[in-house]
């Protein structure tokens, strides 16, 4: 259990949190939410002791162990994958290493034997003999193929390291688990495995995430950071969202009533302040006006970008036909094998499954950014498409400001127009003059979304568009794609995003393509599809959740 009492933290004289009082108990999962810059990650660092607080106390039950998802992906490059995971339970790791050092001695003494026996007993008490099997199960569940389990961390790429560090945090049944964006870099299968793990986890979990489905699946409480306060709500993200809408409406209604009352009071004071007979009433009303404190009724600090895609022309019946497309990766591995597809004018297609590189390759080809090995595709005469790829850094390797960058894609070249457009995407004031080279991942995606909106295209191709975005931006994009009257071809690791937008699901597997006109939840629940998916991945290193 963790108890937070009167905790405050200031940055540059601005209070990030003030007088925070919370209790986190075993058997519950607490989701930390808030606008960008509200201090979600900083709050986790305060809880873990990585970040000092200005005042207040944090009490954790004596003898309990805390595990934290590490953000430094290079910290364990000198470790093997399994050792890096075991390091998540430091006492067990140290015991295992001390035992191995004794056994490795050339001159093994009787004293060494006694010490080794003691270490073996400690190792067993801490669950060491089951550790390797548990580590392998975790790594497989999180989507790291078995061929990587015995490699060094330095041999893994960024996405693979993320999975190992997540397994490290989960390993050894910690009493308190702090997770900052644990679903980043995970596919839907791995996220589903993590959801199951946390739902069965008996201890305390505190998590920051932008994944609404994940928060709904695992959270029993939501802690909302807004205006320096952290308010705890019982229930998952959807419950918090509905409650917050009610509270915001009540606050707005109250503010409107107070403004109307203030207007009446000011008029009365102005009219009768010089009238001796009415002066006492005027003074009384002035005191009431002062107590209204209109400025102390903030509704929310959250800001939602304005995302709206308006096609320049209506799409016709012939949208896209793909015939026997073939492609390979840089190592010559086949990605697409005689892939064929007909896209209809009302389709919003989610490409799902474990073949992420294959999906990206397909999108690159039909967007004209990559050539296929063989095969062909035909866009209809009425179609115009625009593309948001998974990696867009090549668009920002220049010396443009954000305003000048966006003017490249705007028919209207007036600075005021472009800056106004950027303002709706939350690049306000001088922010629109920032060099694009220094933008964060989320800012780059918002720039790319602006580019797509200005295109007037009636076909949108998006490869994992929610990556790097906060909850507010994801919500705005989600609603925009639901409203969009054209065709959408997209991939995503956000369950809620897929299930609310797609009316057609396509999964490219090692043994064929599954193509169904249905929503995502029905696709996952279909017993026939479950068996087909199981058969398609049988004999491969890739694990699916059935």
């Amino acid at each position: 259990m963790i108890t937070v009492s009167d905790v405050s933290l200031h940055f540059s004289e601005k209070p990030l949190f003030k007088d925070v009082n919370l209790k986190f108990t075993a058997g519950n999962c607490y989701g930390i939410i808030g606008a960008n810059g509200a201090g979600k990650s900083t709050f986790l660092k305060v809880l873990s002791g990585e970040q000092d607080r200005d005042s207040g106390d944090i009490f954790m039950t004596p003898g309990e162990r805390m595990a934290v998802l590490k953000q430094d992906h290079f910290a364990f490059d000198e470790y093997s994958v399994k050792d890096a995971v075991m390091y998540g339970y430091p006492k067990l790791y140290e015991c295992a290493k001390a035992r191995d050092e004794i056994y490795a001695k050339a001159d093994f003494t009787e004293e060494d034997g006694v010490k080794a026996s003691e270490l073996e007993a400690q190792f067993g008490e801490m669950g060491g003999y089951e550790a390797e099997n548990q580590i392998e199960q975790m790594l497989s569940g999180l989507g790291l193929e078995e061929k990587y389990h015995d490699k060094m961390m330095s041999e893994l790429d960024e996405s693979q390291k993320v999975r190992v560090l997540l397994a490290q945090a989960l390993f050894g049944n910690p009493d308190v688990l702090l997770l900052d964006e644990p679903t980043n870099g995970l596919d839907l299968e791995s996220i589903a495995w993590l959801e199951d793990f946390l739902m069965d986890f008996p201890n305390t979990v505190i998590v920051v995430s932008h994944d609404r489905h994940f928060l709904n699946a695992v959270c029993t409480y939501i802690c909302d950071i807004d205006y320096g306060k952290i308010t705890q709500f019982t229930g998952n993200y959807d419950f918090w969202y509905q409650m917050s809408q009610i509270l915001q409406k009540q606050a707005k209604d109250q503010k409107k009533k107070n403004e109307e009352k203030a207007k009446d009071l000011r008029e009365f004071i102005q009219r009768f302040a010089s009238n001796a007979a009415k002066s006492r009433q005027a003074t009384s009303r002035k005191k009431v006006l002062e107590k209204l404190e209109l400025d102390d009724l903030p509704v929310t600090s959250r800001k939602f970008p304005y995302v709206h895609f308006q096609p320049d022309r209506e799409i016709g019946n012939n949208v896209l036909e793909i015939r026997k497309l073939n492609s390979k990766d840089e190592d010559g591995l086949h990605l697409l094998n005689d892939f064929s597809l007909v896209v209809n004018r009302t389709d919003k297609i989610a490409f799902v499954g474990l073949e992420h590189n294959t999906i990206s390759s397909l999108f690159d080809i039909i967007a004209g950014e990559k050539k296929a090995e063989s095969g062909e595709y035909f866009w209809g005469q009425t179609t115009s498409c625009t593309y948001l790829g998974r990696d867009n850094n090549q668009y920002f390797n220049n010396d443009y400001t954000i305003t000048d960058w966006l003017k490249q894609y705007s028919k209207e070249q007036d600075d005021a127009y472009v800056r106004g457009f950027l303002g709706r995407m939350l690049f306000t004031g001088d922010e629109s003059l920032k060099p694009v080279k220094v933008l964060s991942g989320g800012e780059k995606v918002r720039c790319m979304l602006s580019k797509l909106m200005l295109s007037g295209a009636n076909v949108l191709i998006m490869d994992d568009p929610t990556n790097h975005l906060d909850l507010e931006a994801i919500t705005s994009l989600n609603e925009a794609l639901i409203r969009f009257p054209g065709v959408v071809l997209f991939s995503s690791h956000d369950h809620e995003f897929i299930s609310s937008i797609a009316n057609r699901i396509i999964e490219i597997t090692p043994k064929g393509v599954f193509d169904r006109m249905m929503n995502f939840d029905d696709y996952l629940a279909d017993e026939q599809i479950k068996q087909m998916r199981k058969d398609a991945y049988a004999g491969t290193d890739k694990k699916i959740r059935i």
Side-chain angles (χ1 to χ4, degrees):
M1 183 178 75
I2 297 182
T3 303
V4 179
S5 301
D6 298 322
V7 167
S8 297
L9 177 65
H10 292 70
F11 279 160
S12 303
E13 299 183 359
K14 177 185 175 184
L16 199 59
F17 326 115
K18 190 175 181 182
D19 301 327
V20 176
N21 291 280
L22 296 169
K23 186 177 286 186
F24 303 100
T25 60
N28 288 301
C29 179
Y30 300 82
I32 311 295
I33 63 171
N36 266 4
K40 302 182 291 294
S41 297
T42 302
F43 182 63
L44 289 193
K45 289 178 180 178
V46 169
L47 292 179
S48 69
E50 184 181 343
Q51 168 73 50
D52 291 333
R53 54 194 179 274
D54 294 334
S55 61
D57 297 305
I58 296 174
F59 175 82
M60 188 164 128
T61 305
E64 290 192 343
R65 182 172 70 88
M66 177 184 286
V68 181
L69 174 59
K70 302 287 193 302
Q71 299 299 320
D72 184 354
H73 298 164
F74 303 98
F76 294 90
D77 276 1
E78 302 304 314
Y79 291 73
S80 70
V81 168
K82 288 179 181 177
D83 277 355
V85 176
M86 188 182 287
Y87 193 88
Y89 191 172
K91 285 186 178 179
L92 178 62
Y93 177 82
E94 290 164 7
C95 179
K97 291 303 166 187
R99 181 197 61 175
D100 293 345
E101 285 177 9
I102 291 175
Y103 287 142
K105 283 186 175 182
D107 51 345
F108 191 85
T109 65
E110 185 176 340
E111 185 180 347
D112 289 331
V114 172
K115 183 63 177 175
S117 178
E118 292 172 354
L119 290 170
E120 288 285 6
Q122 293 174 22
F123 189 72
E125 287 171 5
M126 290 185 283
Y129 296 116
E130 298 82 34
E132 183 167 359
N133 184 50
Q134 290 174 354
I135 289 170
E136 289 179 348
Q137 287 182 350
M138 279 186 175
L139 291 171
S140 295
L142 289 169
L144 189 71
E145 298 169 30
E146 291 175 16
K147 62 184 178 183
Y148 296 108
H149 292 187
D150 293 310
K151 290 185 178 292
M152 297 297 292
M153 286 287 284
S154 57
E155 299 179 70
L156 305 188
D157 64 28
E158 201 79 356
S159 66
Q160 292 166 334
K161 287 180 179 179
V162 168
R163 296 164 195 264
V164 177
L165 294 177
L166 182 52
Q168 179 191 81
L170 302 178
F171 176 69
N173 197 37
D175 299 289
V176 178
L177 183 56
L178 305 185
L179 302 174
D180 191 357
E181 295 293 353
T183 62
N184 276 2
L186 299 185
D187 54 36
L188 284 163
E189 298 289 343
S190 302
I191 293 171
W193 181 92
L194 180 60
E195 288 173 358
D196 288 344
F197 180 93
L198 293 179
M199 282 190 280
D200 293 334
F201 189 71
N203 302 327
T204 305
V205 181
I206 305 173
V207 59
V208 170
S209 178
H210 291 148
D211 188 322
R212 296 161 295 171
H213 185 272
F214 178 77
L215 291 172
N216 277 328
V218 303
C219 289
T220 53
Y221 291 88
I222 294 293
C223 298
D224 180 31
I225 304 178
D226 209 358
Y227 285 107
K229 297 179 181 179
I230 305 182
T231 307
Q232 193 173 99
F233 295 82
T234 302
N236 61 13
Y237 177 79
D238 276 351
F239 181 86
W240 165 82
Y241 183 78
Q242 292 167 17
M243 181 61 70
S244 70
Q245 297 303 299
I246 293 171
L247 293 175
Q248 285 183 44
K249 185 178 185 303
Q250 290 176 344
K252 286 178 180 177
D253 291 345
Q254 185 61 46
K255 191 169 185 178
K256 185 177 180 181
K257 288 178 183 177
N258 284 0
E259 286 171 345
E260 291 171 353
K261 188 174 182 180
K263 181 182 177 183
D264 293 340
L265 289 170
R266 288 191 190 98
E267 289 175 354
F268 183 90
I269 292 166
Q270 187 175 6
R271 192 180 315 127
F272 294 109
S274 59
N275 185 322
K278 298 283 187 177
S279 62
R280 182 176 295 178
Q281 293 181 42
T283 302
S284 174
R285 281 164 171 73
K286 189 174 182 180
K287 290 179 180 179
V288 172
L289 178 61
E290 290 170 351
K291 289 179 180 179
L292 280 175
E293 299 177 336
L294 294 177
D295 292 336
D296 291 338
L297 287 170
V299 177
T300 179
S301 62
R302 288 178 170 80
K303 295 181 180 179
F304 291 77
Y306 176 78
V307 184
H308 180 68
F309 302 102
Q310 182 60 49
D312 288 340
R313 65 184 297 183
E314 186 177 353
I315 200 165
N317 290 324
N318 297 321
V319 179
L320 172 66
E321 183 179 358
I322 301 172
R323 297 177 186 169
K324 294 188 175 182
L325 216 57
N326 289 275
S327 73
K328 297 178 181 177
D329 64 14
E330 294 175 353
D331 298 323
L333 181 69
H334 278 279
L335 297 174
L336 292 167
N337 292 295
D338 287 339
F339 179 81
S340 297
L341 176 69
V342 174
V343 176
N344 307 308
R345 67 190 306 270
T346 58
D347 283 346
K348 292 184 177 179
I349 306 175
F351 289 79
V352 304
L354 302 179
E355 306 299 327
H356 314 300
N357 291 337
T358 299
I359 296 168
S360 295
S361 180
L362 172 63
F363 286 174
D364 285 344
I365 291 169
I366 61 176
E369 296 201 354
K370 175 183 174 181
K371 287 189 175 181
E373 298 291 324
S374 62
E376 52 192 354
Y377 62 94
F378 307 94
W379 286 104
Q381 288 187 346
T382 62
T383 60
S384 56
C385 75
T386 187
Y387 182 37
L388 174 62
R390 181 167 297 186
D391 182 3
N392 298 290
N393 287 322
Q394 70 271 21
Y395 286 92
F396 300 94
N397 293 328
N398 52 65
D399 296 320
Y400 286 128
T401 64
I402 300 177
T403 300
D404 290 337
W405 182 89
L406 191 59
K407 282 173 73 175
Q408 300 175 94
Y409 310 105
S410 174
K411 296 173 186 175
E412 176 60 67
Q413 290 292 296
D414 181 61
D415 275 7
Y417 171 83
V418 175
R419 292 183 71 171
F421 194 93
L422 287 169
R424 291 186 295 175
M425 292 300 288
L426 308 185
F427 294 107
T428 57
D430 290 341
E431 284 187 334
S432 63
L433 302 177
K434 283 171 65 173
V436 295
K437 279 184 177 179
V438 303
L439 298 182
S440 68
E443 288 172 326
K444 287 178 180 177
V445 174
R446 280 191 277 132
C447 282
M448 291 299 295
L449 290 175
S450 301
K451 172 181 177 292
L452 266 62
M453 284 188 276
L454 288 170
S455 72
N458 52 26
V459 178
L460 305 177
I461 307 172
M462 297 183 165
D463 195 357
D464 205 4
T466 60
N467 199 20
H468 301 299
L469 293 181
D470 59 22
L471 269 169
E472 290 72 40
I474 290 171
T475 300
S476 296
L477 175 59
N478 198 156
E479 292 174 353
L481 291 181
I482 291 172
R483 295 192 305 266
F484 181 61
V487 168
V488 185
L489 311 176
F490 72 102
S491 69
S492 177
H493 294 152
D494 186 317
H495 185 120
E496 182 73 19
F497 193 79
I498 297 172
S499 60
S500 61
I501 296 169
N503 57 18
R504 183 177 176 185
I505 306 297
I506 292 179
E507 181 170 5
I508 302 172
T509 77
K511 297 179 182 175
V513 178
F514 304 153
D515 184 350
R516 296 291 186 275
M517 294 295 299
M518 57 173 59
N519 66 43
F520 187 51
D521 288 324
D522 288 344
Y523 180 84
L524 292 177
D526 190 288
E527 293 298 328
Q528 183 183 10
I529 294 173
K530 284 183 182 181
Q531 187 58 51
M532 291 170 63
R533 297 183 75 224
K534 185 176 180 180
D535 293 341
Y537 288 99
T540 72
D541 284 337
K542 295 178 178 176
K543 307 294 182 183
I544 63 166
R545 178 176 176 267
I546 300 298

